[in-house]
Amino acid sequence: MKRQLTCLSGQFWLWPSFSVASLLPHQTPVTNSWLASSKLHSAPGMALQDVCKWQSPDTQGPSPHLPQAGGWAVPRGCDPQTFLQIHGPRLAHGTTTLAFRFRHGVIAAADTRSSCGSYVACPASCKVIPVHQHLLGTTSGTSADCATWYRVLQRELRLRELREGQLPSVASAAKLLSAMMSRYRGLDLCVATALCGWDRSGPMLFYVYSDGTRLQGDIFSVGSGSPYAYGVLDRGYRYDMSTQEAYALARCAVAHATHRDAYSGGSVDLFHVRESGWEHVSRSDACVLYSGVTEAPGARARGGCQPCPS
C-alpha cells in the first residue's frame, strides 16, 4: 500500500521502496557522503527544509501581518498615494494631548472629544491607550489608525517579552512603532503619539509620527490645541515639581486648550506612569476646570495654574 506524506509545498506519494534519492532531481548525483549528511540532519525542521524547500520565518523582526505599502486595493493603473489624495475623504479633526516627564514619573493628559468635521462623534472617548503595565501612549490623528497601530504594538511587545523574558524598553517600543509605520508613508496614515513609560533607565518619553519621525524629550503636546497647551506648559513646567503640581499643570494646560480650540472639549483624562506602573488619576469636566482656574484669586497673575478640583 502507498502512504501519503504531507508537507507545506504539496503532497508526495511514498511507496514501500521509497528512498531519499527519489525526491532528488534526476541530474543530482546521489553519493554516500550526501546520504550520510542527510541522516545527520534528520530533525523535522531540517526535513521540511530539505524536502519541501521550506524556510523558517524570522522571529526577530516585526510581524505586523499587514499588507505591503504597495499592496492596497486600488483601481488598476492608479498610484495609491495619488488615488488617496484625489478620492480620499477630507474630514477635519482635532484634539489636545500632552505628556511631560518629571522626577516622579511621566504625566499624560488628553481631552475626550472625538470630532468628524463639524460633528462631535463622541464626547467621552479615551485618547490615552495603555500598551502594557509600564507603558501607555496618547493618540492624535485618525482614531481608527491609532487604535489599529496600538493593537499591533501591543502584540509585538508581548511577543518580544515571551522571546526575551523581559519587557522591551520605551526606546525599543518607540523605534519599533516608528519602523512599522514608516513603510506606509504617503498613504494618508495619520498617527501622532507620545509614548510614556518607565523602564530600567527611569521615566522616558518619546514622540512618534506616522512618517517615521521619532523624538525623545521632556515635554510634548500634539493636536490642534497643542499651541495653547504649550503656552501653559512652558510657563509652569519644572522637572523637580511635586506630584500635585504636575497634576494641576496638566489639567490646566488641557483645560485652556479646550477653551480656545473648537475641536477639543469634553473632559480631561489624567494618567500618571510610575515605577510601579501606570495609574488613571482622574477624569474631570474641562469647563469646570477652566472656570476654577480662571476664577481663583490671583490665578492670572501667577500664570493661571492653580490646583484644580479632581
Side-chain angles (χ1 to χ4, degrees), residues 183-198:
R183 299 163 50 207
Y184 300 90
R185 184 183 303 166
L187 294 179
D188 271 5
L189 183 67
C190 187
V191 179
T193 179
L195 286 174
C196 318
W198 192 301

Side-chain angles (χ1 to χ4, degrees), residues 6 10 14 26 37 91 98 108 110 130 134 189 197 230 236 243 298 300 305 308:
T6 304
L14 306 183
H26 295 293
S37 64
L91 295 176
L98 62 86
H134 293 83
L189 183 67
Y230 268 127
T243 301
R300 294 188 181 276
C305 294
C308 304

Side-chain angles (χ1 to χ4, degrees), residues 40-298:
L40 293 176
H41 300 84
S42 58
M46 294 303 298
L48 284 176
Q49 292 184 7
D50 293 339
V51 177
C52 306
K53 307 302 180 184
W54 175 79
Q55 298 294 330
S56 60
D58 181 16
T59 59
Q60 298 300 323
S63 56
H65 300 292
L66 291 173
Q68 296 295 327
W72 298 102
V74 296
R76 182 174 299 177
C78 290
D79 177 66
Q81 182 175 356
T82 305
F83 179 82
L84 290 173
Q85 289 177 353
I86 298 175
H87 302 285
R90 289 293 178 266
L91 295 176
H93 51 270
T95 185
T96 299
T97 64
L98 62 86
F100 58 86
R101 189 170 67 102
F102 72 121
R103 65 175 182 174
H104 297 294
V106 185
I107 298 295
D111 73 305
T112 61
R113 174 178 294 177
S114 292
S115 57
C116 182
S118 58
Y119 173 68
V120 177
C122 179
S125 60
C126 185
K127 299 180 182 180
V128 182
I129 300 179
V131 180
H132 57 68
Q133 183 181 1
H134 293 83
L135 180 65
L136 50 81
T138 65
T139 60
S140 177
T142 305
S143 299
D145 292 341
C146 293
T148 298
W149 282 104
Y150 264 99
R151 284 199 297 267
V152 173
L153 181 62
Q154 288 170 352
R155 182 190 63 207
E156 293 298 327
L157 294 183
R158 176 57 176 162
L159 290 175
R160 288 200 174 187
E161 179 186 8
L162 293 174
R163 287 196 296 261
E164 301 172 2
Q166 60 183 2
L167 287 171
S169 63
V170 181
S172 298
K175 185 176 181 179
L176 176 63
L177 182 61
S178 171
M180 291 190 298
M181 292 195 300
S182 64
R183 299 163 50 207
Y184 300 90
R185 184 183 303 166
L187 294 179
D188 271 5
L189 183 67
C190 187
V191 179
T193 179
L195 286 174
C196 318
W198 192 301
D199 55 20
R200 294 175 295 277
S201 302
M204 301 294 290
L205 178 60
F206 283 86
Y207 167 77
V208 180
Y209 188 57
S210 50
D211 63 356
T213 301
R214 176 169 51 95
L215 302 173
Q216 181 180 2
D218 292 331
I219 303 175
F220 289 113
S221 183
V222 188
S224 57
S226 60
Y228 312 106
Y230 268 127
V232 178
L233 290 173
D234 291 341
R235 184 180 183 90
Y237 172 77
R238 299 190 328 274
Y239 183 81
D240 60 345
M241 67 176 63
S242 66
T243 301
Q244 293 302 321
E245 289 175 336
Y247 290 171
L249 178 63
R251 293 191 184 108
C252 179
V254 178
H256 275 77
T258 58
H259 182 73
R260 297 296 181 183
D261 180 40
Y263 294 105
S264 303
S267 301
V268 178
D269 273 336
L270 183 63
F271 287 77
H272 186 185
V273 183
R274 307 173 185 267
E275 186 176 4
S276 58
W278 61 266
E279 172 192 1
H280 185 198
V281 179
S282 65
R283 169 172 284 196
S284 309
D285 186 88
C287 293
V288 175
L289 286 178
Y290 183 79
S291 300
V293 167
T294 55
E295 293 176 2

